[in-house]
């Protein structure tokens, strides 16, 4: 359910939790556990979901999803860490750029190649969240490749 939430939000949609209470108003234990897990994850990573806009690159990424807040924050949701430990997105940022792991604010190393208009994040030694790890990229507006 959590990856479904992220997928919907990264495409600009709203997510409906279809939870039906029993006749006495209580929630089935399985559904309660799902809601608890989503709540725990959102407590740590909710800023990457609430008040965000859809993936600004309008492309599908094999390893995760993107959302955006304002003109200077991009959130990267990592589902699966690539074998080489590097995530490359087809865009670059202007001005001072910083990337941190949400929740702990640990710096994520990155590099930009303005010539190829790509940004690479180095996550080989980063501990991954089971559902999705979130990287917050703070920098001036994103410039993405335009297809010809």
């Amino acid at each position: 359910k959590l990856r479904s939430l992220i997928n919907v939000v990264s495409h600009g949609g709203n997510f409906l939790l279809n939870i039906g209470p029993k006749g006495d108003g209580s929630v089935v234990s399985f559904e309660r556990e799902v809601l608890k897990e989503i709540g725990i994850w959102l407590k740590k990573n909710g800023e990457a979901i609430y008040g965000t806009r859809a993936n600004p690159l309008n492309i599908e990424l094999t390893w995760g999803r993107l959302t955006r807040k304002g003109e200077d924050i991009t959130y990267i949701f990592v589902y699966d860490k690539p074998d080489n430990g590097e995530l490359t997105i087809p865009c670059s940022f202007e001005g001072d750029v910083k990337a941190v792991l949400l929740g702990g604010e640990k710096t994520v190393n990155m590099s930009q190649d303005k010539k190829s208009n790509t940004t690479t994040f180095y996550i080989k030694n980063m501990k991954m969240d089971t559902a999705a790890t979130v990287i917050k990229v703070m920098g001036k507006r994103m410039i993405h490749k335009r297809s010809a």
Side-chain angles (χ1 to χ4, degrees):
K1 293 252 186 214
L2 189 51
R3 285 193 179 181
S4 294
L5 167 66
I6 295 166
N7 288 335
V8 168
V9 171
S10 74
H11 288 93
N14 295 309
F15 189 71
L16 174 64
L17 288 171
N18 190 14
I19 304 294
K22 295 193 283 185
D24 65 0
S26 64
V27 176
V28 178
S29 62
F30 167 77
E31 291 176 339
R32 184 173 37 255
E33 288 306 311
V34 169
L35 291 173
K36 276 182 166 178
E37 288 176 25
I38 291 173
I40 290 168
W41 189 88
L42 284 171
K43 191 172 215 174
K44 177 181 173 186
N45 299 292
E47 75 173 78
I49 296 288
Y50 299 118
T52 59
R53 297 185 308 204
N55 176 347
L57 301 181
N58 199 26
I59 60 168
E60 290 295 319
L61 302 166
T62 58
W63 43 260
R65 300 289 180 261
L66 300 175
T67 59
R68 184 146 175 88
K69 190 175 281 184
E71 296 302 318
D72 60 354
I73 298 176
T74 301
Y75 296 99
I76 302 172
F77 298 84
V78 184
Y79 294 159
D80 303 304
K81 187 190 306 186
D83 291 336
N84 68 358
E86 297 179 5
L87 299 174
T88 300
I89 57 175
C91 70
S92 56
F93 301 84
E94 293 181 341
D96 293 329
V97 183
K98 182 179 180 183
V100 297
L101 196 58
L102 266 192
E105 302 303 313
K106 179 181 176 189
T107 299
V108 176
N109 293 326
M110 59 178 277
S111 65
Q112 295 191 85
D113 183 339
K114 299 284 186 174
K115 192 172 187 178
S116 68
N117 196 23
T118 59
T119 303
T120 301
F121 301 88
Y122 304 97
I123 63 167
K124 187 171 189 159
N125 299 318
M126 191 166 75
K127 185 179 177 192
M128 301 295 291
D129 188 304
T130 307
T133 300
V134 183
I135 299 170
K136 178 180 182 179
V137 185
M138 297 161 284
K140 289 187 181 175
R141 77 182 153 94
M142 195 163 57
I143 305 166
H144 62 284
K145 289 183 179 179
R146 299 199 193 287
S147 52

